[in-house]
Amino acid sequence: MDRIIYHGHSFIEIKHKNDTVYIDPFIEGNPLCDINLADSSCNYIILTHGHGDHFGDTVTLSKGKDVKVIATAELSYYLDAKGVKTHAMNLGGAYDFPFGRVKLTLAHHSSSTPDGTYAGDPAGILITSGSKTVFHSGDTALFYDMKLIGETSKIDYAFLPIGDNFTMGVDDAVKAAEYLKADTIVPVHYNTFDVIRADAHDFRRKIESIGKKCLVMNPGDEIKL
Ligand code: NI
Ligand code: MN
């Protein structure tokens, strides 16, 4: 992995050599997104679950293009039927892609597509490439088994929701960071809509008070790995 770029809400982009990987590409209708759909392209999309603010523009970005969508089985089959190339996985499974090893983890949330189709279980995503591991928790509640994820993977960067209402809020995300033993935490899934307003600087203070690093990213900001 060379770079990680944040595009607002839960949309992150990973650059690895010539590969571009979009995670949860919510562009149209995302008031925080810094890029236009017309200017966007990638080789891979990884989806945490089917909700519209994560599924986003997946079909437009991938249909009829050389783009592979990695998602849980039910979500993959839904996309297959729309003529999208997919790679189905499920919770606990890992697979080596050219850009790195992807493992799907548990997430405690729900999952359906924007048209209401059941989309299986939601997931978190661990990506290991070279010596770096990045964790994108997807939408989730705090749960105790995050400790197990932290015990079995040495996480360099964890992207965790802090917006409350649909997911963990600030205090639960601080507890999650502790369980995950991640080196640096990046807050996501907040301030996109009124119902998920959260104070990222309050989150940063609380993360620093447990001896961890917190990186508050603005859309367009990047991490060089
Ligand atoms: Ni969701
Ligand atoms: Mn969401």
Side-chain angles (χ1 to χ4, degrees), residues 1 4 125-136 149-150 152-160 177 180-186 207 212-215 223-225:
M1 268 180 283
I4 304 172
I125 301 163
L126 275 168
I127 303 178
T128 302
S129 177
S131 61
K132 299 287 180 193
T133 295
V134 172
F135 179 59
H136 186 302
I149 300 172
T152 50
S153 297
K154 194 201 146 300
I155 299 168
D156 295 287
Y157 289 92
F159 291 79
L160 302 179
L180 290 163
K181 295 188 195 151
D183 188 54
T184 301
I185 318 300
V186 182
I207 288 287
K212 297 195 169 296
K213 287 175 268 186
C214 179
L215 184 63
I223 297 167
K224 286 196 169 57
L225 293 165

Side-chain angles (χ1 to χ4, degrees), residues 49 51 53-54 109-110 139:
H49 64 298
H51 290 157
D53 58 318
H54 300 260
H109 190 65
S110 61
D139 282 359

Side-chain angles (χ1 to χ4, degrees), residues 190-211:
Y190 69 100
N191 290 356
T192 324
F193 311 109
D194 281 341
V195 75
I196 56 169
R197 291 244 163 255
D199 182 350
H201 298 285
D202 174 43
F203 179 68
R204 182 164 67 192
R205 276 192 302 276
K206 287 175 173 169
I207 288 287
E208 287 171 353
S209 77
I210 61 163

